[in-house]
Amino acid sequence: MPIQKVDKIWMNGRLVDWDEAKVHILTHALHYGSGVFEGIRAYKTIKGTAVFRLTDHLKRMERSAKIYFMELPYTVAELAEATKELIRVNKLDGCYIRPIAYRGYGEMGLYPMNAPVDVAIAVWPWGAYLGEEGIKKGIRAKISSFRRIEPNSLPPAAKATGQYINSILAKMEAIFSDYDEAILLDSKGMVSEGSGENLFVVRDGIIYTPSTGASVLEGITRDTVMKIAADVGYKVMEKDFVRSDLYFADEAFFTGTAAEIVPIREIDNRPIGEPGPITRKLQDRFYTIVRGEDEKYRDWLEFV
Ligand code: PPE
């Protein structure tokens, strides 16, 4: 997806011009994938622009960094403030936000502790990740022949740059096979998640999503959906399941910051059907909340 250029990028505490936001070719993270990042969205609300669950995202970045012994030179509060300032400076209302902390220039080799840790934040307008049409009508997914990375090789709980090579393999395979998105199984063969989204299925009115034991990222949208579904009165369960449970689903959908909530209408050529009532209801609740139209969830909005 092409990036829509804006004015400034935040790099190590300074606002730099978009075209000047560069790194050295010998940046450690470029060679070894030794970076951690986040994907966050800001929405235009009735009370101004607000970042959705900004602090929760930045805390997850801190947890990702912890796994890789990466000491972030800024606190969560400092990064939150920098994010808000950056959105103001670029005069954006709704946008996507990409903070990244990475091992920088100065050391080569696999022991990374002497390389500097650089931090940057970029913001830009980013539309529907799996298409507007996908949000409305649902997408087609295919179980990937690539297995999801497992906790004892690359911890899926970390949102680390290098780990995404796994998602890229799955995504390319899905697109080249004329599907919209991949569903990865974990190393045990249990259903895990999409290339960049968590996965939910509905059967007999109960909502299921794979547990963290099935190599999933602890998605913020996953957590949001579980909470709002429970508040609406649905039963939600974290439970690991196999591929036939996907085929038997009454409804299925992906969740993610970039994707938001995207219905799945077909898996491996087996129809799931038009987006169902529970998926619709959750989409509706989600957009109401991110747009600040529900007081109950005001704590999730961090105003710019
Ligand atoms: N699983 C994976 C592997 C993943 O990358 C994401 C987010 C999620 C689940 C959902 O997490 P959350 O956003 O907290 O609900 N993927 C991000 C990056 C996508 C990209 O292509 O880059 C995102 O949605 O921002």
Side-chain angles (χ1 to χ4, degrees):
M1 265 166 269
I3 300 169
Q4 200 178 318
K5 176 173 158 176
V6 300
D7 201 22
K8 300 283 184 192
I9 288 182
W10 185 96
M11 282 182 97
N12 294 323
R14 291 190 312 118
L15 290 172
V16 301
D17 289 341
W18 180 277
D19 291 328
E20 300 309 316
K22 293 174 182 166
V23 296
H24 195 279
I25 198 69
L26 295 181
T27 294
H28 195 275
L30 187 58
H31 295 252
Y32 306 121
S34 50
V36 297
F37 70 105
E38 272 303 318
I40 314 173
R41 270 188 195 274
Y43 291 89
K44 190 176 171 177
T45 80
I46 43 178
K47 293 195 174 151
T49 299
V51 185
F52 189 65
R53 303 190 66 173
L54 173 59
T55 300
D56 290 333
H57 277 281
L58 294 172
K59 281 185 179 162
R60 184 173 65 187
M61 188 157 100
E62 247 184 5
R63 292 199 298 277
S64 298
K66 181 175 185 182
I67 292 181
Y68 288 99
F69 294 105
M70 194 184 282
E71 191 127 358
L72 299 186
Y74 302 94
T75 64
V76 164
E78 285 166 343
L79 293 173
E81 203 38 60
T83 302
K84 293 190 243 176
E85 188 197 358
L86 186 66
I87 295 170
R88 287 193 297 268
V89 166
N90 285 301
K91 299 186 174 60
L92 292 165
D93 38 37
C95 63
Y96 187 74
I97 302 156
R98 169 57 55 83
I100 181 167
Y102 57 97
R103 306 267 186 198
Y105 169 79
E107 288 275 327
M108 269 293 151
L110 296 177
Y111 181 74
M113 298 305 287
N114 299 319
V117 174
D118 291 319
V119 184
I121 308 169
V123 296
W124 70 91
W126 201 0
Y129 188 65
L130 295 170
E132 279 298 337
E133 190 73 3
I135 290 181
K136 290 198 190 92
K137 302 209 167 132
I139 59 149
R140 298 174 59 246
K142 177 187 170 22
I143 294 178
S144 182
S145 72
F146 290 99
R147 291 294 172 93
R148 182 79 179 124
I149 48 174
E150 62 98 25
N152 296 305
S153 57
L154 291 169
K159 207 171 164 62
T161 60
Q163 302 189 179
Y164 276 77
I165 283 288
N166 176 236
S167 291
I168 288 171
L169 285 172
K171 183 78 185 188
M172 290 190 295
E173 183 186 65
I175 300 292
F176 294 161
S177 315
D178 283 325
Y179 291 83
D180 303 301
E181 186 53 291
I183 295 172
L184 290 90
L185 305 180
D186 73 3
S187 56
K188 306 180 296 294
M190 305 304 279
V191 174
S192 180
E193 61 181 344
S195 72
E197 310 87 3
N198 290 112
L199 178 66
F200 286 78
V201 298
V202 179
R203 195 171 172 193
D204 297 329
I206 299 173
I207 303 171
Y208 300 95
T209 194
S211 78
T212 52
S215 293
V216 304
L217 179 72
E218 287 177 39
I220 308 286
T221 321
R222 173 181 180 272
D223 179 72
T224 300
V225 163
M226 286 169 73
K227 285 187 176 133
I228 61 184
D231 287 351
V232 171
Y234 295 124
K235 185 166 183 199
V236 190
M237 289 178 70
E238 284 184 85
K239 184 178 176 291
D240 299 340
F241 50 84
V242 293
R243 67 193 294 159
S244 50
D245 294 310
L246 292 173
Y247 304 155
F248 296 159
D250 300 324
E251 299 181 36
F253 57 89
F254 283 125
T255 65
T257 299
E260 302 180 317
I261 299 175
V262 178
I264 305 171
R265 64 182 160 85
E266 195 184 303
I267 300 173
D268 291 352
N269 300 316
R270 289 153 181 92
I272 306 294
E274 295 285 300
I278 294 181
T279 308
R280 285 273 178 249
K281 177 82 184 168
L282 293 171
Q283 280 183 317
D284 188 63
R285 295 292 303 127
F286 178 78
Y287 288 113
T288 303
I289 291 164
V290 297
R291 289 187 192 125
E293 290 159 17
D294 190 333
E295 282 297 326
K296 185 166 186 279
Y297 303 93
R298 196 42 74 79
D299 287 353
W300 280 344
L301 302 179
E302 296 174 50
F303 286 90
V304 163

